Structures are given as C-alpha cells and as structure tokens.
Amino acid sequence: MNKNIVMNEFEQPKLEILIGKLNESVTVAVELASDSSDDDLVAELDITAYEIGELINNLRRINREATVQEYIRGEI
C-alpha cells in the first residue's frame, strides 16, 4: 500500500463487518455455481467470486496497514 490510510476507531469495526459480508457473498456465489447446470452462469459466478475475493484481500490489507486514530469530536 503506497498511501497512508487513516481510519478512526469507529470505522475499523465497520470495515471488518464489510469484509465479513463480502465473504458471505463469495459463499453464496460458489454455492450458486455448484448448483447451476448452465456453464455460462457458472463461469460468471466463478469470476465474480474471484473478483470479490480480490476485493476482500485488498480490504484486509488496508485494515491491517491503516493507521487507526481515536475519534475526537470537534466542538462547535
């Protein structure tokens, strides 16, 4: 990762939830592909599962390498 990404302490758990939901979507895509008899649909679902997996890996890297700061609420 070339840039220094900064998250506040409330964003990181939300990112982890997003990663979990994307993992669930990969599972659904793989299940659909395994149940389908249409080769074109299976191919599309396999590609989709792979692309979501790449996104998950990228988000995990961001989550691991990002700087987490304490959220400080500004006064008006």
Side-chain angles (χ1 to χ4, degrees):
M1 184 168 64
N2 294 335
K3 42 194 160 185
N4 185 20
I5 295 176
V6 178
M7 287 189 280
N8 69 48
E9 61 190 335
F10 298 112
E11 292 169 325
Q12 191 173 31
K14 290 179 181 178
L15 181 57
E16 292 170 3
I17 290 169
L18 174 60
I19 291 168
K21 290 183 182 282
L22 288 169
N23 273 321
E24 291 173 10
S25 69
V26 168
T27 301
V28 171
V30 169
E31 288 175 3
L32 282 169
S34 67
D35 291 340
S36 179
S37 60
D38 185 316
D39 291 340
D40 291 335
L41 178 59
V42 170
E44 289 296 325
L45 290 169
D46 284 345
I47 291 168
T48 299
Y50 173 80
E51 290 173 345
I52 295 171
E54 289 293 307
L55 176 60
I56 291 167
N57 289 337
N58 187 37
L59 292 173
R60 282 184 179 146
R61 187 175 69 253
I62 289 169
N63 197 26
R64 186 176 57 249
E65 296 176 3
T67 302
V68 178
Q69 293 183 343
E70 180 179 347
Y71 179 76
I72 300 173
R73 183 177 175 154
E75 303 244 348
I76 297 178

